[in-house]
Amino acid sequence: MRAPIGDFTDVRPALDRLDLLTAPVAAAVRAWRGSVPAESVLYVDTDPAIADTAVFVEHYGQRLLDESANCVIVAGKRGESTTLAACVVRSGTRIDVNGAVRKQLGSRKVRFAPIDVATGDTGMEYGGITPLGLPEGWPVLVDATVVDTEWVLVGSGRRRGKIILPGKAFAELPGAVVLEGLGLEPAPEPPGVS
């Protein structure tokens, strides 16, 4: 089987690789529903030593910068109440934490969740967090450009391996809210910095 994006040698339906997924991600794949058939959710084996975006796209294909997404856990606080949420944006962009996220969550302050909270509450590894299999009731904020991308590569719950699925599937995930402008283009580097 060949992956629809990237240069991967080991590609299989995620349903056939449940043993390589964390428990919550495997459960989400097993219970998959929606307009995208479960067989379209693919698992690709990747080297965990090169899981960070810049090195990853250099090795598996430069186009993946536009065809992959990061899932980041944020914590929104209003008074004594804290809301954890996932934000899914294209890998080449950054999350509009103080604008789009704060407004959507109705929070006074939003920050990236501490690593131990993000991994402990999701049951996933740092560097592999995915919007598949998140705790029930969590908002999953998805940038509209992710949904508009034909195929998207995202974490598998572990640093080793990734999931590829049609972008439109992100809009159907439990708790999904599609937002325009959630992902911002990176700030330009100051002159003389390279």
Side-chain angles (χ1 to χ4, degrees), residues 31-38 168-169 172-173:
W32 189 262
R33 301 283 180 271
S35 66
V36 172
K168 67 183 180 181
E172 298 178 8
L173 293 174

Side-chain angles (χ1 to χ4, degrees), residues 69-99:
N70 290 329
C71 180
V72 178
I73 307 304
V74 297
K77 191 165 179 130
R78 184 168 194 87
E80 296 302 312
S81 176
T82 300
T83 301
L84 293 175
C87 296
V88 182
V89 298
R90 281 190 6 245
S91 295
T93 63
R94 58 189 173 87
I95 301 166
D96 183 10
V97 173
N98 293 315

Side-chain angles (χ1 to χ4, degrees), residues 65-66 68 70 87-102 112 141-146 179-188:
L65 193 58
D66 293 324
S68 62
N70 290 329
C87 296
V88 182
V89 298
R90 281 190 6 245
S91 295
T93 63
R94 58 189 173 87
I95 301 166
D96 183 10
V97 173
N98 293 315
V101 176
R102 193 167 60 89
F112 296 107
L141 311 181
V142 182
D143 187 77
T145 61
V146 172
L179 299 172
E180 296 286 340
L182 177 62
L184 302 173
E185 294 303 317

Side-chain angles (χ1 to χ4, degrees), residues 43-175:
Y43 175 87
V44 293
D45 190 34
T46 60
D47 182 349
I50 58 172
D52 295 321
T53 302
V55 180
F56 187 87
V57 298
E58 185 177 309
H59 185 80
Y60 291 108
Q62 202 62 39
R63 286 187 49 207
L64 287 174
L65 193 58
D66 293 324
E67 298 170 327
S68 62
N70 290 329
C71 180
V72 178
I73 307 304
V74 297
K77 191 165 179 130
R78 184 168 194 87
E80 296 302 312
S81 176
T82 300
T83 301
L84 293 175
C87 296
V88 182
V89 298
R90 281 190 6 245
S91 295
T93 63
R94 58 189 173 87
I95 301 166
D96 183 10
V97 173
N98 293 315
V101 176
R102 193 167 60 89
K103 181 180 176 184
Q104 183 64 37
L105 296 181
S107 300
R108 275 185 69 73
K109 184 177 183 180
V110 176
R111 62 184 172 86
F112 296 107
I115 293 172
D116 61 326
V117 171
T119 57
D121 285 20
T122 63
M124 299 179 202
E125 294 176 3
Y126 179 71
I129 294 176
T130 183
L132 283 73
L134 292 172
E136 188 175 331
W138 277 29
V140 179
L141 311 181
V142 182
D143 187 77
T145 61
V146 172
V147 175
D148 293 339
T149 303
E150 185 176 7
W151 290 94
V152 178
L153 177 109
V154 71
S156 68
R158 294 202 159 117
R159 282 187 66 84
R160 174 174 214 111
K162 301 284 184 189
I163 301 264
I164 297 175
L165 66 161
K168 67 183 180 181
F170 288 87
E172 298 178 8
L173 293 174

